[in-house]
């Protein structure tokens, strides 16, 4: 069974569209994250939720809105997509949001905006 | 500010060679954690190791070993007798405990190519 899963794996869309990426973890963790990896492989955190509460919100355009319906799910909705949003988006989870906890990553969603 | 530097952008070695990936970090925290992750061509990120700031013992796991030196703020990763399957991008990351919220600060990664 996949520990952290994301759907879809690939997403190709036109500029201006709205799209969502879903993430689910079956590890029983209480903290989930969204990361963006750009074309140069640079990984940067976007958001983090602990027990459905937003605890990290980096300087991300407000076109990006995370939603956590429960501890096992963290979805990412993106409005008015732009070319610069093209990247690989990774979901991750950990037990606790503390500094010591390793994070388990999903397979990534490659978003291409045309 | 916290920062992780992986100065080696890309390294190529021939199979069976040993290779060391460098990681230098900056932090004002007294308690912090360092991590290494592997990202193979398939794209997923795989956890390799965690080390806390109070444990400077070197760690060995099979062909992998890690050297943590607080005096030089480094947490280097060595692969002994490299294999083609070791080809991947390797990321070093740092978290701290004084910032209130804990987040990974990733280095820019080192792409390792192991040639047959």
């Amino acid at each position: 069974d996949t520990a952290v899963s994301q759907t879809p794996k690939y997403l190709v869309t036109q500029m201006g569209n709205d799209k969502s990426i879903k993430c689910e973890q079956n590890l029983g963790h209480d903290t989930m994250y969204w990361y963006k990896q750009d074309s140069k492989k640079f990984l940067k955190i976007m958001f983090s939720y602990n027990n459905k509460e937003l605890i990290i919100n980096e300087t991300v355009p407000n076109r990006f809105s995370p939603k956590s319906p429960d501890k096992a799910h963290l979805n990412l909705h993106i409005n008015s997509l732009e070319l610069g949003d093209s990247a690989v988006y990774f979901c991750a989870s950990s037990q606790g949001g503390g500094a010591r906890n390793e994070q388990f990553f999903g397979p990534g969603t490659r978003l291409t905006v045309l | 500010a916290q920062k992780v530097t992986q100065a080696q952008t890309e390294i190529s070695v021939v199979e069976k060679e040993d290779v060391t990936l460098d990681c230098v970090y900056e932090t004002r925290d007294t308690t912090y954690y360092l991590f290494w992750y592997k990202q193979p061509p398939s794209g997923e990120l795989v956890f390799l190791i965690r080390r806390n700031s109070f444990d400077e013992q070197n760690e060995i796991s099979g062909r992998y070993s890690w050297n943590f030196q607080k005096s030089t703020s480094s947490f280097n990763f060595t692969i002994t007798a490299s294999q083609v399957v070791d080809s991947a991008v390797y990321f070093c990351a740092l978290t701290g405990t004084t910032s209130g919220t804990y987040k990974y600060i990733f280095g820019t990664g080192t792409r390792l190519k192991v040639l047959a």
Side-chain angles (χ1 to χ4, degrees):
Chain A
D1 280 345
T2 304
V4 182
S5 59
Q6 296 178 227
T7 53
K9 189 164 174 60
Y10 299 96
L11 187 51
V12 181
T13 188
Q14 299 287 331
M15 262 195 324
N17 284 350
D18 303 339
K19 290 294 178 186
S20 291
I21 306 172
K22 295 186 176 181
C23 178
E24 176 181 3
Q25 54 94 5
N26 62 8
L27 297 167
H29 290 165
D30 59 6
T31 306
M32 296 184 72
Y33 311 80
W34 277 110
Y35 287 85
K36 179 180 180 181
Q37 186 174 46
D38 63 22
S39 58
K40 295 184 178 178
K41 296 286 191 180
F42 184 61
L43 267 164
K44 193 170 191 309
I45 189 162
M46 300 172 68
F47 302 102
S48 175
Y49 272 75
N50 176 262
N51 283 318
K52 301 196 300 175
E53 181 183 344
L54 182 66
I55 57 172
I56 293 175
N57 185 350
E58 292 292 285
T59 49
V60 176
N62 58 15
R63 298 182 294 104
F64 290 79
S65 53
K67 283 187 173 53
S68 182
D70 56 56
K71 285 196 311 183
H73 296 85
L74 180 62
N75 303 324
L76 183 65
H77 188 75
I78 315 170
N79 289 328
S80 304
L81 278 156
E82 300 177 357
L83 292 177
D85 297 331
S86 295
V88 180
Y89 292 85
F90 285 96
C91 177
S93 72
S94 67
Q95 182 51 42
R100 71 183 301 273
N101 301 312
E102 66 264 32
Q103 296 179 16
F104 294 83
F105 286 78
T109 296
R110 182 175 294 276
L111 171 64
T112 303
V113 182
L114 303 174
Chain B
Q2 295 184 320
K3 185 179 178 183
V4 175
T5 301
Q6 294 180 255
Q8 303 151 309
T9 305
E10 185 168 313
I11 302 175
S12 291
V13 298
V14 176
E15 210 171 15
K16 297 184 184 175
E17 284 185 3
D18 298 348
V19 58
T20 295
L21 309 182
D22 297 333
C23 173
V24 174
Y25 61 92
E26 294 175 30
T27 181
R28 293 180 183 173
D29 293 341
T30 53
T31 301
Y32 52 89
Y33 293 82
L34 295 159
F35 301 80
W36 276 95
Y37 279 81
K38 174 182 180 180
Q39 186 174 37
S42 50
E44 73 276 21
L45 281 148
V46 179
F47 166 76
L48 295 178
I49 191 171
R50 175 189 62 212
R51 173 63 79 231
N52 76 55
S53 52
F54 297 108
D55 181 3
E56 287 195 70
Q57 269 195 325
N58 289 338
E59 174 116 3
I60 298 175
S61 176
R63 296 183 298 105
Y64 294 172
S65 62
W66 290 269
N67 182 288
F68 175 33
Q69 292 197 337
K70 286 179 78 170
S71 59
T72 55
S73 298
S74 65
F75 186 41
N76 296 337
F77 173 29
T78 297
I79 301 174
T80 302
S82 60
Q83 299 176 2
V84 172
V85 293
D86 296 326
S87 296
V89 180
Y90 291 87
F91 291 95
C92 181
L94 163 73
T95 64
T97 56
T98 61
S99 58
T101 53
Y102 312 121
K103 58 185 180 183
Y104 277 15
I105 306 297
F106 278 96
T108 49
T110 297
R111 182 182 297 276
L112 174 64
K113 293 184 177 179
V114 182
L115 308 171

